[in-house]
Amino acid sequence: MPSHHQIAAAARIGMLTRERDTTSASAQALRELARALPLDAATLLTIDPLTGSHVQVASIGYAAEAAQALAGEFVATPWYRNVVRRELPPSISEDAEDAGPRFRHGWFYAERVRPAGFRDGVTGALRHRGRLVGLVHLSTESADAYDTDARRLLASVIPALAALADPLAHAGDLHGLAETDAASLVTGDGAVLDLPGRDRPRALREDGGFGALLHAFTGTGGQRLRLLWPAGGGWHRIVLHRHPAGPGLAADAVLVRETPTELPYGLSPRELEVLTRAATGQTNQAIAQTLFLSPRTVHSHVEHLLRKTGCASRAEATALAVRDGLLRPDPDHLARFVER
């Protein structure tokens, strides 16, 4: 039965999932594990959703070579398959008949674990929202340290460790997403990574030219862009955020955030288009030529949008559009509106 001390450590690990700095929180979680379980070294690994490779998020006690082997070589062993299929994390010293290949008889123990001075260890598969997202390894110089109670305690904190290790779980937190926002990450080569518990934005599902806009944003090197976009028969407020590379997501990506909305100020789609082009500095004559309208029609649209927004001048209206993201830009004029 877990002691009061162990229960308190497990509770502190659970609270760490609220932290935005998941790298620091992961390191602290391992230190909390060291207070609750016998260990001389521990590492938390995440799976890069693009490459499938295991990447270290946090580690204590392992030499660099041992940590690298656990991240890169362990997954090639039969023991890895045994870990993934087990609900209760198996240990090196486990004697159960269904434990699969005996780890002590394998090359990885002989060449990597034993020379490092470790005589017992335990490994747990991390799953978050039904997805395998990483591994946790604990090692100790003591023999037969991880009995059933120790392994059960580790299993009890695995959901929290999985939430910390999942590179997609905290993308929304990093950018302040509301609970109802649709959101996905899009990599530079166009791969879409769906965030757990969130819908994929309609703009990505239907495209309608959105892919070209997204590609143009990536090329600007900007940090954020706010705009309005039609999809699914309605309008949506879209925010593009540059998402930094980090543990578990080696490549830069763009987070696409989408919220259903009505066109602000009662603007019509054509008035929004005129306002966007006015914000790029185009004259009424240039807007008319681009949109295949007469200059008089463009002038009327400008008067209407000034009245609706309560702006006293064209310059004030375009400043409002840029400030509040009242824009539907095309890829050619994107750089003007990107926040750097």
Side-chain angles (χ1 to χ4, degrees):
M1 182 175 180
S3 67
H4 174 76
H5 182 73
Q6 290 174 321
I7 293 173
R12 288 192 292 268
I13 292 172
M15 293 176 65
L16 287 169
T17 60
R18 303 175 183 176
E19 300 293 328
R20 289 197 174 189
D21 185 351
T22 55
T23 300
S24 296
S26 297
Q28 181 60 35
L30 294 184
R31 290 191 288 270
E32 293 293 345
L33 272 179
R35 296 187 178 101
L37 290 171
L39 67 87
D40 294 297
T43 186
L44 190 67
L45 304 175
T46 184
I47 299 176
D48 188 316
L50 295 176
T51 65
S53 60
H54 287 69
V55 181
Q56 181 176 284
V57 178
S59 180
I60 57 173
Y62 284 117
E65 183 179 357
Q68 185 177 0
L70 285 169
E73 299 179 9
F74 180 77
V75 296
T77 67
W79 188 252
Y80 172 71
R81 293 191 291 275
N82 182 43
V83 167
V84 170
R85 71 182 180 87
R86 301 288 296 280
E87 291 187 11
L88 189 64
S91 69
I92 291 176
S93 57
E94 185 177 25
D95 291 324
E97 293 182 359
D98 67 342
R102 294 308 304 272
F103 187 68
R104 289 187 188 277
H105 300 164
W107 69 268
F108 192 83
Y109 179 79
E111 297 180 18
R112 297 287 184 265
V113 178
R114 192 67 182 93
F118 301 122
R119 300 186 63 192
D120 201 1
V122 61
T123 303
L126 306 181
R127 288 184 171 81
H128 187 237
R129 294 183 180 268
R131 298 159 41 247
L132 181 65
V133 298
L135 296 172
V136 58
H137 297 280
L138 310 182
S139 298
T140 179
E141 297 172 4
S142 303
D144 303 320
Y146 297 115
D147 58 15
T148 300
D149 287 341
R151 289 157 50 217
R152 283 175 176 166
L153 180 61
L154 179 59
S156 72
V157 298
I158 274 181
L161 297 176
L164 289 170
D166 187 353
L168 302 181
H170 297 274
D173 297 337
L174 182 63
H175 300 290
L177 269 63
E179 290 185 4
T180 56
D181 287 343
S184 295
L185 284 172
V186 182
T187 65
D189 60 3
V192 179
L193 303 176
D194 293 322
L195 303 187
R198 293 191 182 272
D199 293 332
R200 180 177 294 192
R202 282 184 174 271
L204 290 174
R205 285 183 275 159
E206 300 179 11
D207 199 334
F210 187 76
L213 186 82
L214 188 58
H215 180 73
F217 171 76
T218 302
T220 66
Q223 294 299 309
R224 189 172 76 148
L225 174 67
R226 295 172 297 156
L227 60 121
L228 296 164
W229 195 264
W235 283 86
H236 302 266
R237 180 167 292 281
I238 303 281
V239 185
L240 305 181
H241 298 270
R242 179 80 58 177
H243 188 74
L249 191 61
D252 284 336
V254 174
L255 185 136
V256 180
R257 170 184 183 177
E258 180 184 270
T259 309
T261 189
E262 300 290 337
L263 284 181
Y265 302 102
L267 294 173
S268 69
R270 181 62 86 182
E271 288 164 353
L272 176 65
E273 198 167 11
V274 170
L275 178 58
T276 300
R277 293 189 173 277
T280 68
Q282 292 185 19
T283 64
N284 283 4
Q285 182 68 35
I287 295 172
Q289 291 177 349
T290 303
L291 301 181
F292 302 102
L293 301 172
S294 70
R296 180 181 294 276
T297 299
V298 173
H299 179 75
S300 296
H301 284 316
V302 171
E303 287 188 333
H304 293 161
L305 66 88
L306 289 177
R307 184 173 65 253
K308 290 179 178 180
T309 59
C311 294
S313 66
R314 177 191 179 105
E316 185 180 346
T318 58
L320 174 70
V322 174
R323 186 192 71 202
D324 293 348
L326 308 182
L327 305 161
R328 192 197 168 181
D330 60 45
D332 294 336
H333 300 102
L334 203 64
R336 182 182 294 265
F337 305 123
V338 170
E339 298 175 30
R340 302 180 188 278

